[in-house]
Amino acid sequence: MACRSDIDLATLHQHRLEERLHYGFAWCSGAHGSSQQQQQQQRLTHYNEQLIRHSATQQRQRLANTSGYYKLDDRQPTGADSVACKVKENIANNNQQQSQQQAEDEYDSYFTSTTRRRRSGTWPRTRSLNAPSPFQQFGPCGRIMKNSAMVMQIQDPASQRLTWYKPPLTVLVIKKKDSLVLLPFVQLVEWLVQEKNMVVWVESAVLEDKLLRDDVNLEQESAKFRQVHEYYTRVRSRFQALREKLVTFKDGRDDLTDRIDFIVCLGGDGTLLYASQLFQQSVPPVMAFYLGSLGFLTPFQCDNFQEQVTNVLEGHAALTLRSRLRCSIHRKGERRRDSLQQASNNWLKPGLQTQHAYGPMASNNNCNLSASNNSILVLNEVVINRGPSPYLSNIDIFLDGKYITSVQGDGLIVSTPTGSTAYAAAAGASMIHPSVPAILVTPICPHSLSFRPIVVPAGVELKISISPDSRNTSRVSFDGRNDQELNHGDSLRVTTSIYPVPSICAQDQISDWFDSLAEGLHWNVRKRQKCLDELSDLTTSSSEDTLDEFDNLKIYDA
């Protein structure tokens, strides 16, 4: 991070324009169809106009600096030459002042009322403090090479604030399968439909819940179920009045991409993982309420959900961008089959070739990842283990194509910073804040005392394959689901996805995470050591000179 005085103001202004364009494209998921393309085209046109105006300002500033610091010759101007020089100097000074004023105006208008942190009364930092700036120069001659393949920048977590480009209309409510969640669920849905006039989406299994249906044959149920069913009579009647106004979907069959503006989770950490699994591309902002057993990823309480949801809908919320891993399995014989398929596609017409190459992918749930062009996004971790085999797993790890090491043990965990507090922490890995861009590689019970967990940069690609001399195959699971087998010759490719999960914070990124560590995991909780009472230690001493020395010390201190 360079201070404002260390870099050129014009360069900083251009970076802000690029960031503004990037944020505009990243959060325009509320637009649909052609309106989204028109909105993107308008933002691109506005960005080009700003860039042209910025280039003209830079040119005027360079001309002003040239006329002010350089002379054509050493002669002193006289007569008309003197008048002309003074006129040019005045014009240059005016242009320089106008360009500086315009840059300062752009600097002030870059922050709107929605991007200010009103609670603390301070301005958010505009550049990251957590990583080296990619625009820095190294000494008088060196600088970093321009990289056109850069897809994201490391941002300052304090500047990640939620912004709605249009009022959200559709909300997805996900609840866990527990009778204790029924009352908060019905209250939330009723308030969203009647008070906020929003379109509420729920899973189709919610309508099939026996506790929310009146047509259940209670004679075939147990006595305990009949008692619970009678207890929720009023809740069931309130839900029946809203039943026809709800929109349902079925996991694995319906695609929710670009249909949901806002997500509310009622339950534990599993509800947030389930919401992440439903969206294999861009994810709407997620607001998670604590109604589970652990609640590490659910910072909100349901006591005053009306006020909290209203603040989020008005855009007064901080975000934690939880990175995800993009995983794909490459089977042994697929390389030759893909090459033959590509050769056959060359004989097809362009329209048929495009349709064949970019056909519909497999469903989100229970998808088959054996296709080389298919992938799945996970929020916590991908785990490779030996399964029911009695033999050790023998797994080779490659980093960007370079062989790193082999894992001989029960398996391997590749996790995100969000998943560092889950399975990886139980296996001995460090707990990493979700805003840190990294990938954790943690062995499971390795047969080597020196094999410690490692943290690699977020931009690398990990290739994990079964060693040729391994005695058995391995199993792989993604966030605890989609368990599949890895045979000899198969490989698993893992890298950081460009689609994070925007998790809404109850307070801010730092407070929420450390509160979860203290309350959920009891991190660093122990009995405090008693302070040393010097007076009691001295009075119990057998030496008579000790008290005299203590009195002398008090006199000297006074």
Side-chain angles (χ1 to χ4, degrees), residues 2 18 108 115 160 212 254 283 363 371 402 412 528 536 556:
E18 294 175 356
D108 294 336
T115 58
Q160 296 173 0
L212 296 177
D254 298 327
V283 185
S363 60
K402 178 179 177 58
L412 183 70
R528 295 188 63 86
S536 61
Y556 293 151

Side-chain angles (χ1 to χ4, degrees), residues 328-385:
S328 60
I329 296 179
H330 296 252
R331 299 298 179 181
K332 181 178 180 180
E334 282 187 350
R335 180 176 301 178
R336 176 175 175 80
R337 183 166 65 251
D338 291 343
S339 61
L340 295 177
Q341 187 68 35
Q342 183 178 3
S344 62
N345 288 341
N346 293 334
W347 296 95
L348 298 175
K349 295 181 179 180
L352 297 177
Q353 181 177 356
T354 304
Q355 182 180 0
H356 183 78
Y358 301 97
M361 298 175 62
S363 60
N364 292 334
N365 192 19
N366 298 327
C367 59
N368 184 13
L369 299 180
S370 60
S372 60
N373 60 346
N374 201 358
S375 62
I376 185 173
L377 304 185
V378 298
L379 179 59
N380 264 357
E381 71 275 313
V382 51
V383 179
I384 303 95
N385 58 83

Side-chain angles (χ1 to χ4, degrees), residues 272-273 296-297 320-324 379-381 415-423 432-436 438 440 501 503 513:
L272 184 60
L273 295 176
F296 193 87
L297 305 178
T320 297
L321 300 183
R322 301 183 180 272
S323 61
R324 295 191 290 178
L379 179 59
N380 264 357
E381 71 275 313
S415 61
T416 63
T418 299
S420 66
T421 53
Y423 195 2
I432 300 180
H433 192 274
S435 298
V436 179
L440 284 81
V501 175
S503 178
W513 192 66

Side-chain angles (χ1 to χ4, degrees), residues 438-467:
I439 300 177
L440 284 81
V441 181
T442 307
I444 305 175
C445 299
H447 275 224
S448 174
L449 295 178
S450 60
F451 195 172
R452 307 305 302 162
I454 59 175
V455 180
V456 297
V460 302
E461 182 185 63
L462 289 172
K463 176 185 174 183
I464 303 169
S465 61
I466 308 300
S467 299

Side-chain angles (χ1 to χ4, degrees), residues 186-451:
V186 174
Q187 292 176 347
L188 176 64
V189 171
E190 187 178 29
W191 180 76
L192 290 174
V193 172
Q194 298 178 358
E195 299 294 334
K196 295 299 181 180
N197 298 323
M198 300 185 70
V199 179
V200 179
W201 287 62
V202 296
E203 194 176 4
S204 58
V206 175
L207 303 183
E208 301 174 1
D209 193 345
K210 293 182 179 181
L211 294 177
L212 296 177
R213 292 171 53 186
D214 292 329
D215 55 349
V216 179
N217 189 2
L218 298 178
E219 297 179 356
Q220 299 179 357
E221 303 294 338
S222 62
K224 184 177 180 180
F225 177 82
R226 290 195 297 267
Q227 182 180 3
V228 176
H229 191 271
E230 183 180 0
Y231 178 78
Y232 286 100
T233 302
R234 297 184 59 184
V235 176
R236 185 167 51 255
S237 61
R238 295 172 61 180
F239 180 76
Q240 292 297 328
L242 302 170
R243 185 185 181 95
E244 301 299 330
K245 299 180 181 180
L246 302 179
V247 182
T248 61
F249 76 96
K250 190 172 183 180
D251 184 15
R253 185 188 65 184
D254 298 327
D255 186 13
L256 299 180
T257 305
D258 295 334
R259 294 185 177 182
I260 305 299
D261 300 331
F262 182 43
I263 302 176
V264 177
C265 295
L266 301 176
D269 297 344
T271 56
L272 184 60
L273 295 176
Y274 179 68
S276 171
Q277 181 261 332
L278 290 175
F279 297 86
Q280 290 297 299
Q281 291 184 3
S282 178
V283 185
V286 183
M287 186 177 185
F289 286 89
Y290 170 65
L291 289 171
S293 57
L294 182 60
F296 193 87
L297 305 178
T298 54
F300 289 94
Q301 302 291 334
C302 285
D303 299 335
N304 56 341
F305 70 89
Q306 295 90 344
E307 179 181 357
Q308 298 179 83
V309 176
T310 301
N311 291 333
V312 173
L313 294 179
E314 293 177 355
H316 306 304
L319 287 177
T320 297
L321 300 183
R322 301 183 180 272
S323 61
R324 295 191 290 178
L325 297 178
R326 179 169 58 87
C327 310
S328 60
I329 296 179
H330 296 252
R331 299 298 179 181
K332 181 178 180 180
E334 282 187 350
R335 180 176 301 178
R336 176 175 175 80
R337 183 166 65 251
D338 291 343
S339 61
L340 295 177
Q341 187 68 35
Q342 183 178 3
S344 62
N345 288 341
N346 293 334
W347 296 95
L348 298 175
K349 295 181 179 180
L352 297 177
Q353 181 177 356
T354 304
Q355 182 180 0
H356 183 78
Y358 301 97
M361 298 175 62
S363 60
N364 292 334
N365 192 19
N366 298 327
C367 59
N368 184 13
L369 299 180
S370 60
S372 60
N373 60 346
N374 201 358
S375 62
I376 185 173
L377 304 185
V378 298
L379 179 59
N380 264 357
E381 71 275 313
V382 51
V383 179
I384 303 95
N385 58 83
R386 60 188 177 94
S389 174
Y391 300 108
L392 294 176
S393 294
N394 199 348
I395 305 171
D396 295 335
I397 303 178
F398 298 84
L399 187 66
D400 285 340
K402 178 179 177 58
Y403 172 76
I404 299 299
T405 187
S406 295
V407 181
Q408 298 186 60
D410 287 349
L412 183 70
I413 304 173
V414 182
S415 61
T416 63
T418 299
S420 66
T421 53
Y423 195 2
S430 298
M431 295 181 291
I432 300 180
H433 192 274
S435 298
V436 179
I439 300 177
L440 284 81
V441 181
T442 307
I444 305 175
C445 299
H447 275 224
S448 174
L449 295 178
S450 60
F451 195 172

